[in-house]
Amino acid sequence: SAVISQKPSRDICQRGTSLTIQCQVDSQVTMMFWYRQQPGQSLTLIATANQGSEATYESGFVIDKFPISRPNLTFSTLTVSNMSPEDSSIYLCSVDPGVDEQYFGPGTRLTVT
Amino acid sequence: LAKTTQPISMDSYEGQEVNITCSHNNIATNDYITWYQQFPSQGPRFIIQGYKTKVTNEVASLFIPADRKSSTLSLPRVSLSDTAVYYCLVGDLPLYQLIWGAGTKLIIKP
């Protein structure tokens, strides 16, 4: 298994600003992922972040808006840039330690005013 | 990727067995069936995964008929703490490629 922590757990931000969300895993993993979940809705994959390579973004998500860093095998950050109220959501990171299970962090609840 | 259909919500009572059925009519040969549980303010948690017939672990059972066009998650003797959203995902591994549906909101009453 893998234990994942995220910081911050929640934040309220003004439009036009940026927020960086941190994701820390208690073990080394190759693959890390970032998801978005609107309140009461399902999860949508934003991007895949592998250490040593550029993040791969899903359709509808771009690097300028959601830059991702993956400096080592236990850590990643997602930045939500130039925020608007439409970015209000829960952002989740997850890992796939290669055992056909996916482990999720507790999420970061972002509110943009 | 196979599309899934689940009931939007279900109610049950403590001590009952709860069965949540997921339809996936266009499941492919290589696809697995995976269920996750999500409590409010938490990330999803893996429950169980199967390919065919029956899979059982300490938390739940997963029943998959021969045609694999549906699957049923069975939760034995539920408690109030089983109130959560349950997601059925169908697709080939790795799991991160799977598309998440709306899930089933299960409410357990005393």
Side-chain angles (χ1 to χ4, degrees):
Chain A
S1 66
V3 178
I4 303 168
S5 60
Q6 286 185 233
K7 291 181 181 180
S9 58
R10 59 177 61 221
D11 206 343
I12 301 173
C13 302
Q14 292 188 341
R15 69 176 66 203
T17 63
S18 298
L19 175 72
T20 295
I21 302 168
Q22 300 178 9
C23 178
Q24 180 76 51
V25 189
D26 68 343
S27 59
Q28 294 184 338
V29 292
T30 301
M31 306 185 78
M32 295 182 74
F33 313 94
W34 288 96
Y35 288 81
R36 183 170 71 183
Q37 184 175 31
Q38 307 282 356
Q41 302 296 316
S42 187
L43 281 73
T44 301
L45 180 63
I46 298 172
T48 301
N50 293 337
Q51 196 269 335
S53 62
E54 294 287 326
T56 302
Y57 290 82
E58 299 299 305
S59 176
F61 299 96
V62 295
I63 187 171
D64 290 345
K65 176 68 175 177
F66 298 100
I68 288 171
S69 78
R70 183 77 202 276
N72 58 53
L73 292 173
T74 63
F75 187 79
S76 178
T77 66
L78 169 76
T79 299
V80 186
S81 304
N82 188 24
M83 289 183 285
S84 66
E86 292 70 37
D87 294 319
S88 296
S89 190
I90 299 168
Y91 292 85
L92 296 142
C93 81
S94 76
V95 302
D96 180 351
V99 292
D100 298 337
E101 291 186 27
Q102 199 171 6
Y103 295 91
F104 286 84
T108 296
R109 182 179 292 270
L110 170 63
T111 302
V112 183
T113 60
Chain B
L1 295 173
K3 181 178 178 180
T4 61
T5 303
Q6 302 174 236
I8 295 174
S9 64
M10 294 179 64
D11 291 352
S12 188
Y13 292 90
E14 282 190 294
Q16 299 295 307
E17 177 184 80
V18 172
N19 296 312
I20 305 174
T21 297
C22 178
S23 297
H24 27 82
N25 291 321
N26 59 338
I27 189 169
T29 303
N30 295 332
D31 288 348
Y32 284 78
I33 300 159
T34 308
W35 286 81
Y36 279 84
Q37 174 191 57
Q38 186 176 26
F39 297 113
S41 301
Q42 294 187 27
R45 182 176 73 103
F46 175 93
I47 302 176
I48 198 166
Q49 183 182 82
Y51 183 81
K52 61 180 179 180
T53 61
K54 177 183 175 182
V55 180
T56 297
N57 61 23
E58 64 277 7
V59 177
S61 294
L62 178 60
F63 297 93
I64 305 168
D67 65 5
R68 303 200 328 124
K69 293 184 182 300
S70 67
S71 59
T72 299
L73 175 72
S74 181
L75 304 172
R77 295 205 304 276
V78 294
S79 64
L80 296 176
S81 62
D82 291 314
T83 294
V85 178
Y86 293 81
Y87 295 95
C88 166
L89 290 85
V90 173
D92 197 1
L93 301 177
L95 294 176
Y96 73 89
Q97 293 182 329
L98 304 186
I99 297 173
W100 293 70
T104 297
K105 185 174 184 179
L106 175 65
I107 298 174
I108 305 301
K109 302 176 182 178

